[in-house]
Protein backbone atom coordinates (compact mmCIF):
# COMPACT_ATOMS: atom_id res chain seq x y z
CA UNK A 1 0.00 0.00 0.00
CA UNK A 2 1.41 3.38 -1.06
CA UNK A 3 1.79 6.41 1.17
CA UNK A 4 -1.16 8.23 -0.40
CA UNK A 5 -3.37 5.16 -0.14
CA UNK A 6 -2.45 4.69 3.51
CA UNK A 7 -3.08 8.38 4.24
CA UNK A 8 -6.45 8.20 2.49
CA UNK A 9 -7.34 5.08 4.46
CA UNK A 10 -6.38 6.72 7.75
CA UNK A 11 -8.39 9.86 6.95
CA UNK A 12 -11.45 7.82 6.02
CA UNK A 13 -11.09 5.80 9.21
CA UNK A 14 -10.89 8.96 11.32
CA UNK A 15 -13.87 10.52 9.57
CA UNK A 16 -15.87 7.33 9.96
CA UNK A 17 -15.08 7.23 13.69
CA UNK A 18 -16.15 10.86 14.07
CA UNK A 19 -19.37 10.21 12.19
CA UNK A 20 -20.12 7.18 14.32
CA UNK A 21 -19.70 9.22 17.50
CA UNK A 22 -21.77 12.10 16.14
CA UNK A 23 -24.52 9.92 14.68
CA UNK A 24 -27.81 9.79 16.51
CA UNK A 25 -29.63 6.56 15.57
CA UNK A 26 -33.05 8.10 16.18
CA UNK A 27 -32.28 10.99 13.81
CA UNK A 28 -30.98 8.54 11.19
CA UNK A 29 -34.17 6.49 11.41
CA UNK A 30 -36.34 9.59 11.10
CA UNK A 31 -34.31 10.77 8.11
CA UNK A 32 -34.63 7.38 6.39
CA UNK A 33 -38.37 7.39 7.03
CA UNK A 34 -38.71 10.87 5.52
CA UNK A 35 -36.70 9.78 2.48
CA UNK A 36 -39.05 6.84 1.94
CA UNK A 37 -42.05 9.13 2.27
CA UNK A 38 -40.52 11.45 -0.32
CA UNK A 39 -40.08 8.52 -2.68
CA UNK A 40 -43.70 7.50 -2.12
CA UNK A 41 -44.80 11.04 -2.88
CA UNK A 42 -42.81 10.99 -6.11
CA UNK A 43 -44.46 7.71 -7.11
CA UNK A 44 -47.89 9.18 -6.39
CA UNK A 45 -46.99 12.25 -8.44
CA UNK A 46 -45.88 9.98 -11.28
CA UNK A 47 -49.17 8.07 -11.15
CA UNK A 48 -51.08 11.35 -11.17
CA UNK A 49 -49.14 12.60 -14.22
CA UNK A 50 -49.64 9.31 -16.05
CA UNK A 51 -53.35 9.33 -15.26
CA UNK A 52 -53.58 12.88 -16.57
CA UNK A 53 -51.99 11.79 -19.86
CA UNK A 54 -54.37 8.85 -20.13
CA UNK A 55 -57.36 11.13 -19.53
CA UNK A 56 -56.19 13.45 -22.29
CA UNK A 57 -55.99 10.53 -24.70
CA UNK A 58 -59.43 9.37 -23.64
CA UNK A 59 -60.81 12.87 -24.29
CA UNK A 60 -59.14 12.90 -27.67
CA UNK A 61 -60.60 9.47 -28.42
CA UNK A 62 -64.11 10.64 -27.52
CA UNK A 63 -63.74 13.60 -29.86
CA UNK A 64 -62.61 11.27 -32.67
CA UNK A 65 -65.57 9.02 -31.99
CA UNK A 66 -67.84 12.04 -32.28
CA UNK A 67 -66.19 12.86 -35.61
CA UNK A 68 -66.76 9.27 -36.79
CA UNK A 69 -70.45 9.61 -36.03
CA UNK A 70 -70.47 12.96 -37.80
CA UNK A 71 -68.75 11.61 -40.93
CA UNK A 72 -71.07 8.64 -40.94
CA UNK A 73 -74.09 10.96 -40.92
CA UNK A 74 -72.49 13.07 -43.65
CA UNK A 75 -72.11 9.98 -45.85
CA UNK A 76 -75.74 9.06 -45.31
CA UNK A 77 -76.90 12.55 -46.22
CA UNK A 78 -74.71 12.61 -49.31
CA UNK A 79 -76.16 9.29 -50.50
CA UNK A 80 -79.67 10.64 -50.03
CA UNK A 81 -78.70 13.60 -52.20
CA UNK A 82 -77.07 11.37 -54.83
CA UNK A 83 -73.68 12.87 -54.06
CA UNK A 84 -71.48 9.82 -54.10
CA UNK A 85 -68.37 11.97 -54.24
CA UNK A 86 -69.24 13.64 -50.93
CA UNK A 87 -70.27 10.33 -49.42
CA UNK A 88 -66.91 8.85 -50.41
CA UNK A 89 -65.00 11.77 -48.86
CA UNK A 90 -67.00 11.48 -45.63
CA UNK A 91 -66.33 7.75 -45.45
CA UNK A 92 -62.60 8.33 -46.04
CA UNK A 93 -62.49 10.78 -43.13
CA UNK A 94 -64.45 8.31 -41.03
CA UNK A 95 -61.89 5.63 -41.82
CA UNK A 96 -59.02 7.97 -40.96
CA UNK A 97 -60.61 8.86 -37.62
CA UNK A 98 -61.23 5.21 -36.81
CA UNK A 99 -57.56 4.46 -37.44
CA UNK A 100 -56.60 7.25 -35.04
CA UNK A 101 -59.06 5.90 -32.50
CA UNK A 102 -57.51 2.44 -32.76
CA UNK A 103 -54.05 3.93 -32.22
CA UNK A 104 -55.26 5.91 -29.21
CA UNK A 105 -56.86 2.84 -27.72
CA UNK A 106 -53.49 1.08 -27.87
CA UNK A 107 -51.76 4.02 -26.16
CA UNK A 108 -54.49 4.22 -23.54
CA UNK A 109 -54.16 0.50 -22.88
CA UNK A 110 -50.39 0.87 -22.45
CA UNK A 111 -50.83 3.78 -20.06
CA UNK A 112 -53.44 1.86 -18.11
CA UNK A 113 -51.08 -1.10 -17.78
CA UNK A 114 -48.26 1.21 -16.61
CA UNK A 115 -50.64 2.89 -14.20
CA UNK A 116 -51.71 -0.43 -12.75
CA UNK A 117 -48.06 -1.42 -12.24
CA UNK A 118 -47.26 1.89 -10.56
CA UNK A 119 -50.28 1.65 -8.30
CA UNK A 120 -49.23 -1.85 -7.25
CA UNK A 121 -45.68 -0.69 -6.58
CA UNK A 122 -47.01 2.32 -4.73
CA UNK A 123 -49.11 0.06 -2.51
CA UNK A 124 -46.10 -2.17 -1.86
CA UNK A 125 -43.92 0.84 -1.07
CA UNK A 126 -46.58 2.25 1.21
CA UNK A 127 -46.81 -1.07 3.07
CA UNK A 128 -43.03 -1.12 3.45
CA UNK A 129 -43.07 2.43 4.76
CA UNK A 130 -45.74 1.59 7.32
CA UNK A 131 -43.78 -1.47 8.39
CA UNK A 132 -40.59 0.60 8.60
CA UNK A 133 -42.40 3.26 10.63
CA UNK A 134 -43.51 0.65 13.16
CA UNK A 135 -40.00 -0.78 13.43
CA UNK A 136 -38.56 2.74 13.58
CA UNK A 137 -40.74 3.78 16.49
CA UNK A 138 -39.99 0.51 18.29
CA UNK A 139 -36.26 0.95 17.74
CA UNK A 140 -36.38 4.57 18.86
CA UNK A 141 -38.21 3.58 22.03
CA UNK A 142 -35.62 0.87 22.73
CA UNK A 143 -32.74 3.26 22.06
CA UNK A 144 -34.18 6.01 24.26
CA UNK A 145 -34.85 3.50 27.04
CA UNK A 146 -31.30 2.17 26.76
CA UNK A 147 -29.93 5.71 26.74
CA UNK A 148 -31.95 6.65 29.83
CA UNK A 149 -30.84 3.46 31.58
CA UNK A 150 -27.22 4.25 30.73
CA UNK A 151 -27.52 7.77 32.10
CA UNK A 152 -29.06 6.46 35.31
CA UNK A 153 -26.35 3.81 35.66
CA UNK A 154 -23.63 6.39 35.07
CA UNK A 155 -25.25 8.70 37.59
CA UNK A 156 -25.46 5.93 40.17
CA UNK A 157 -21.88 4.85 39.60
CA UNK A 158 -20.57 8.40 39.32
CA UNK A 159 -18.71 7.77 36.06
CA UNK A 160 -20.64 10.32 34.07
CA UNK A 161 -19.04 13.68 33.32
CA UNK A 162 -21.64 15.67 35.24
CA UNK A 163 -21.56 13.36 38.24
CA UNK A 164 -17.76 13.50 38.22
CA UNK A 165 -17.96 17.29 38.33
CA UNK A 166 -20.46 17.09 41.19
CA UNK A 167 -18.17 14.69 43.06
CA UNK A 168 -15.19 16.99 42.64
CA UNK A 169 -17.29 19.95 43.78
CA UNK A 170 -18.29 18.06 46.91
CA UNK A 171 -14.67 17.17 47.63
CA UNK A 172 -13.60 20.81 47.25
CA UNK A 173 -16.47 21.95 49.46
CA UNK A 174 -15.54 19.40 52.12
CA UNK A 175 -11.88 20.43 52.04
CA UNK A 176 -12.84 24.10 52.29
CA UNK A 177 -15.19 23.38 55.19
CA UNK A 178 -12.51 21.43 57.08
CA UNK A 179 -10.08 24.30 56.52
CA UNK A 180 -12.55 26.89 57.81
CA UNK A 181 -13.43 24.78 60.87
CA UNK A 182 -9.73 24.33 61.70
CA UNK A 183 -9.13 28.05 61.27
CA UNK A 184 -12.08 28.87 63.53
CA UNK A 185 -10.80 26.54 66.25
CA UNK A 186 -7.32 28.05 65.97
CA UNK A 187 -8.72 31.56 66.34
CA UNK A 188 -10.67 30.53 69.43
CA UNK A 189 -7.55 28.98 70.93
CA UNK A 190 -5.47 32.10 70.28
CA UNK A 191 -8.23 34.27 71.70
CA UNK A 192 -8.32 32.23 74.91
CA UNK A 193 -4.51 32.33 75.27
CA UNK A 194 -4.43 36.11 74.94
CA UNK A 195 -2.24 36.00 71.88
CA UNK A 196 -4.37 38.61 70.15
CA UNK A 197 -3.96 41.05 73.05
CA UNK A 198 -0.20 40.42 73.03
CA UNK A 199 -0.08 41.04 69.34
CA UNK A 200 -1.95 44.34 69.69
CA UNK A 201 0.26 45.56 72.59
CA UNK A 202 3.75 47.09 72.22
CA UNK A 203 4.88 45.52 75.56
CA UNK A 204 6.80 42.26 75.71
CA UNK A 205 6.81 39.72 78.55
CA UNK A 206 9.57 41.52 80.48
CA UNK A 207 7.71 44.84 80.35
CA UNK A 208 4.57 43.19 81.69
CA UNK A 209 6.43 41.56 84.61
CA UNK A 210 8.23 44.80 85.46
CA UNK A 211 4.93 46.64 85.40
CA UNK A 212 3.38 44.09 87.73
CA UNK A 213 6.36 44.51 90.14
CA UNK A 214 5.98 48.31 90.17
CA UNK A 215 2.31 48.01 90.90
CA UNK A 216 2.98 45.68 93.84
CA UNK A 217 5.64 48.06 95.26
CA UNK A 218 3.29 50.98 94.98
CA UNK A 219 0.58 49.02 96.76
CA UNK A 220 3.01 48.02 99.53
CA UNK A 221 4.12 51.62 99.99
CA UNK A 222 0.56 52.85 100.14
CA UNK A 223 -0.24 50.12 102.64
CA UNK A 224 2.61 51.26 104.91
CA UNK A 225 1.35 54.82 104.70
CA UNK A 226 -2.10 53.69 105.75
CA UNK A 227 -0.69 51.77 108.67
CA UNK A 228 1.20 54.88 109.81
CA UNK A 229 -1.90 57.00 109.56
CA UNK A 230 -3.86 54.43 111.51
CA UNK A 231 -1.24 54.42 114.27
CA UNK A 232 -1.45 58.20 114.59
CA UNK A 233 -5.20 58.16 114.97
CA UNK A 234 -5.40 55.46 117.67
CA UNK A 235 -6.49 58.02 120.31
CA UNK A 236 -9.81 58.62 118.59
CA UNK A 237 -13.12 57.43 120.05
CA UNK A 238 -14.46 53.93 119.62
CA UNK A 239 -16.98 55.01 116.99
CA UNK A 240 -14.36 56.84 114.92
CA UNK A 241 -12.01 53.84 115.28
CA UNK A 242 -14.70 51.50 114.05
CA UNK A 243 -15.45 53.67 111.02
CA UNK A 244 -11.74 54.00 110.23
CA UNK A 245 -11.30 50.25 110.44
CA UNK A 246 -14.18 49.74 108.05
CA UNK A 247 -12.74 52.23 105.56
CA UNK A 248 -9.31 50.63 105.78
CA UNK A 249 -10.71 47.17 105.30
CA UNK A 250 -12.66 48.33 102.26
CA UNK A 251 -9.65 50.03 100.77
CA UNK A 252 -7.48 46.97 101.40
CA UNK A 253 -10.04 44.81 99.63
CA UNK A 254 -10.01 47.13 96.61
CA UNK A 255 -6.22 47.08 96.50
CA UNK A 256 -6.14 43.28 96.69
CA UNK A 257 -8.73 42.97 93.92
CA UNK A 258 -6.79 45.44 91.74
CA UNK A 259 -3.57 43.53 92.34
CA UNK A 260 -5.21 40.20 91.54
CA UNK A 261 -6.64 41.61 88.27
CA UNK A 262 -3.26 42.94 87.16
CA UNK A 263 -1.49 39.66 87.98
CA UNK A 264 -4.07 37.63 86.10
CA UNK A 265 -3.72 40.01 83.09
Amino acid sequence: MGILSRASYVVRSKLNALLNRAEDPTETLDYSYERMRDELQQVKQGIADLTTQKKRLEIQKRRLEENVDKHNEQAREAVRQDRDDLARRALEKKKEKMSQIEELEGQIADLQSTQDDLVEKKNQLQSRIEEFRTKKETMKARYEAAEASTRVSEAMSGVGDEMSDVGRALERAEERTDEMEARSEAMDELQESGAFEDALSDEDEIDRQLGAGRTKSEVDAELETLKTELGASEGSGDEAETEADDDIAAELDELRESEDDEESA
Side-chain angles (χ1 to χ4, degrees):
M1 182 182 294
I3 295 177
L4 294 178
S5 298
R6 291 178 58 189
S8 177
Y9 179 79
V10 171
V11 170
R12 288 197 303 270
S13 299
K14 295 293 185 182
L15 290 176
N16 187 55
L18 290 174
L19 290 175
N20 288 335
R21 286 195 295 269
E23 181 182 5
D24 186 346
T26 59
E27 293 179 355
T28 303
L29 291 174
D30 288 336
Y31 177 74
S32 299
Y33 177 69
E34 292 301 325
R35 287 290 303 274
M36 295 177 70
R37 285 175 57 88
D38 292 341
E39 292 177 0
L40 178 62
Q41 187 62 34
Q42 292 176 4
V43 171
K44 290 181 178 180
Q45 185 62 45
I47 293 174
D49 294 341
L50 187 146
T51 304
T52 301
Q53 294 297 327
K54 188 186 71 171
K55 291 298 181 182
R56 288 177 180 175
L57 294 180
E58 290 176 349
I59 292 172
Q60 188 175 355
K61 176 189 172 186
R62 286 197 298 269
R63 288 176 180 175
L64 290 172
E65 289 174 346
E66 291 174 358
N67 287 333
V68 167
D69 294 337
K70 177 182 177 181
H71 294 320
N72 191 41
E73 185 62 31
Q74 287 174 343
R76 289 176 182 274
E77 181 66 23
V79 170
R80 284 193 292 268
Q81 296 182 14
D82 294 330
R83 293 290 306 271
D84 292 345
D85 56 333
L86 292 178
R88 185 177 289 106
R89 287 174 58 188
L91 292 174
E92 289 175 354
K93 288 185 177 181
K94 174 185 175 182
K95 184 65 174 177
E96 181 181 350
K97 297 298 189 296
M98 291 183 66
S99 297
Q100 294 177 5
I101 290 173
E102 185 177 358
E103 183 179 355
L104 286 175
E105 286 177 346
Q107 294 178 4
I108 292 171
D110 292 340
L111 289 177
Q112 184 63 50
S113 177
T114 304
Q115 179 181 339
D116 293 340
D117 291 340
L118 287 177
V119 170
E120 183 177 358
K121 291 179 180 178
K122 184 265 296 182
N123 293 334
Q124 293 177 355
L125 179 59
Q126 192 164 1
S127 298
R128 289 179 58 190
I129 291 174
E130 291 299 322
E131 182 180 359
F132 179 79
R133 186 180 69 85
T134 301
K135 292 182 179 180
K136 173 182 73 73
E137 294 301 325
T138 302
M139 185 59 65
K140 285 177 62 177
R142 288 179 57 194
Y143 177 81
E144 291 173 358
E147 187 179 27
S149 178
T150 301
R151 286 199 299 267
V152 172
S153 298
E154 289 180 350
M156 294 297 293
S157 61
V159 299
D161 294 337
E162 294 183 0
M163 292 305 298
S164 297
D165 294 339
V166 171
R168 287 193 292 270
L170 287 174
E171 290 178 0
R172 290 194 298 270
E174 185 175 2
E175 292 175 358
R176 183 63 176 169
T177 301
D178 292 341
E179 180 182 352
M180 293 300 293
E181 290 177 349
R183 184 176 181 84
S184 177
E185 293 177 0
M187 297 291 283
D188 292 341
E189 183 176 344
L190 291 173
Q191 181 70 30
E192 292 176 358
S193 66
F196 286 157
E197 295 180 0
D198 294 343
L200 295 176
S201 175
D202 292 334
E203 296 181 350
D204 57 12
E205 181 66 21
I206 297 176
D207 291 332
R208 287 194 295 274
Q209 291 185 11
L210 291 176
R214 285 194 297 272
T215 301
K216 187 175 185 301
S217 299
E218 292 174 357
V219 171
D220 291 341
E222 187 173 359
L223 180 59
E224 292 297 328
T225 301
L226 290 174
K227 289 181 179 180
T228 303
E229 292 177 355
L230 289 174
S233 59
E234 287 181 355
S236 301
D238 294 336
E239 183 177 354
E241 183 177 358
T242 302
E243 292 178 356
D245 291 341
D246 292 339
D247 292 338
I248 293 171
E251 188 171 355
L252 288 174
D253 290 338
E254 289 180 0
L255 289 174
R256 291 192 187 95
E257 290 178 359
S258 176
E259 184 177 0
D260 293 338
D261 291 340
E262 290 178 357
E263 290 179 354
S264 62

